[in-house]
Amino acid sequence: MLSRTAKYAVRAVVVLARHYGKRPVSAGEIASILGAPRNYLSKTLLALTRRGILTSARGPGGGYALAVAPHAISVADIADVFADPMPEAARCLLDDSPCDPKHPCSAHRRWTEITLGARASMRRTAIGNLCGETWTTSVVGRP
């Protein structure tokens, strides 16, 4: 359900959540931890910064940090940054055409349920939960 870029983004944000309130982490360090190409990850981190999920600082001691607490960011907040403009649910599973809800294919209803269920789970899951943290507050969606 997540693109490759969205998976790297979630993993990078989890790394940053584990450093929350401490020091910024460089793109190179995050790439090394994740085993990701540095240039590719740098573009991913830049997109998250532009969306207000991360902050960045240049120079010695610079790097990336979470803009808000790990419990205030959902997996869906991150996935939305890298969402496909043509969602999977909009494409028919049986052929290469748009799936029309007014005249759905035989798989349409069930696939829509699966997609919506996954989306709801991502919305309810805070990044802090993926770090093993137990948060007493609910996930606050980003604007």
Side-chain angles (χ1 to χ4, degrees):
M1 299 280 161
L2 292 176
S3 69
R4 180 176 146 213
T5 303
K7 287 177 188 174
Y8 272 125
V10 168
R11 293 175 64 210
V13 172
V14 168
V15 168
L16 292 171
R18 297 181 80 199
H19 287 85
Y20 184 68
K22 299 174 186 169
R23 64 176 176 81
V25 183
S26 72
E29 187 177 350
I30 298 168
S32 177
I33 291 167
L34 300 180
R38 187 183 188 286
N39 288 341
Y40 177 76
L41 189 64
S42 292
K43 292 176 185 177
T44 302
L45 296 170
L46 179 60
L48 292 168
T49 302
R50 287 181 177 155
R51 221 24 117 76
I53 293 171
L54 303 181
T55 61
S56 65
R58 294 179 187 246
Y64 292 90
L66 295 183
V68 296
H71 72 276
I73 305 168
S74 74
V75 172
D77 292 331
I78 298 163
D80 288 350
V81 176
F82 306 99
D84 187 349
M86 177 64 91
E88 292 176 32
R91 302 299 301 172
C92 181
L93 289 174
L94 304 179
D95 63 36
D96 187 29
S97 65
C99 202
D100 180 4
K102 293 178 184 174
H103 306 293
C105 69
S106 60
H108 183 84
R109 183 178 309 140
R110 186 66 181 133
W111 188 248
T112 299
E113 290 173 13
I114 290 167
T115 303
L116 292 175
R119 175 81 181 145
S121 183
M122 287 191 291
R123 175 67 46 214
R124 287 189 310 267
T125 304
I127 290 301
N129 300 130
L130 298 178
C131 298
E133 299 292 333
T134 304
W135 302 97
T136 56
T137 57
S138 61
V139 175
V140 176
R142 302 198 54 78

